[in-house]
């Protein structure tokens, strides 16, 4: 089995295929679903699998999910008004185009680095 490496000899950290992840470990997303966070612990293992084949390169990328120990996880910090404001400001910044400074209902695509309007028409900036 290609991705079965419980000792980490091949991959550096204990590695499992998707269906064989050990008990007591969870991804960040799974912890979150239980109201937990990793609490500063390091990744203890990973799950590797093949993603969908890239239609251009015909390569099947190797995808990874990092696992944390559930027993070392801690409850998510409760939202305080200060944290709520900080998160709101961060979300607002992510929805604001750095070029035209318009705040949109969607997050500015990091691949473009600006709103689609600015990406389509860079000349409009100079005008
Ligand atoms: Zn823009």
């Amino acid at each position: 089995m290609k991705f079965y490496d419980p000792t980490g000899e091949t991959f550096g950290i204990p590695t499992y295929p998707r269906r064989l992840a050990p008990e007591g470990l969870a991804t960040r997303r799974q912890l979150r679903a239980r109201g937990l966070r990793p609490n500063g612990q390091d990744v203890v293992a990973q799950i590797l699998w093949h993603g969908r084949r890239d239609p251009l390169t015909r390569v099947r990328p190797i995808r990874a999910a990092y696992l944390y120990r559930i027993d070392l996880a801690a409850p998510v910090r409760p939202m305080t008004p200060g944290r709520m404001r900080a998160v709101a400001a961060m979300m607002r910044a992510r929805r604001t185009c750095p070029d035209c400074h318009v705040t949109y209902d969607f997050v500015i695509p990091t691949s473009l680095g600006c709103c689609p309007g600015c990406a389509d028409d860079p000349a409009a900036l100079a005008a």
Side-chain angles (χ1 to χ4, degrees):
M1 220 178 308
K2 197 172 170 184
F3 294 142
Y4 187 71
D5 179 26
T7 61
E9 197 183 322
T10 305
F11 293 103
I13 59 175
T15 299
Y16 303 90
R18 268 213 273 197
R19 289 178 205 290
L20 290 177
E23 294 278 309
L25 302 182
T27 63
R28 196 177 276 272
R29 185 178 295 235
Q30 288 165 339
L31 289 178
R32 189 77 203 190
R34 297 171 177 228
L36 298 171
R37 61 193 169 90
N39 196 23
Q41 66 174 296
D42 288 330
V43 169
V44 294
Q46 65 182 346
I47 296 172
L48 293 182
W49 72 95
H50 281 291
R52 203 178 300 171
R53 190 180 299 278
D54 186 296
L56 294 177
T57 62
R58 295 170 174 272
V59 172
R60 292 192 69 187
I62 293 176
R63 308 285 307 275
Y66 301 108
L67 299 174
Y68 300 88
R69 281 175 54 177
I70 294 169
D71 60 340
L72 294 181
V76 174
R77 279 166 296 185
M79 270 288 173
T80 62
R83 287 192 67 217
M84 214 121 72
R85 270 195 302 275
V87 169
M90 191 186 73
M91 290 309 294
R92 188 179 166 81
R94 290 176 57 192
R95 289 186 287 108
T96 304
C97 174
D99 291 338
C100 63
H101 303 287
V102 173
T103 300
Y104 293 90
D105 291 334
F106 55 86
V107 172
I108 302 301
T110 51
S111 58
L112 297 177
C114 57
C115 72
C118 289
D120 280 349
D121 189 12
L125 280 178

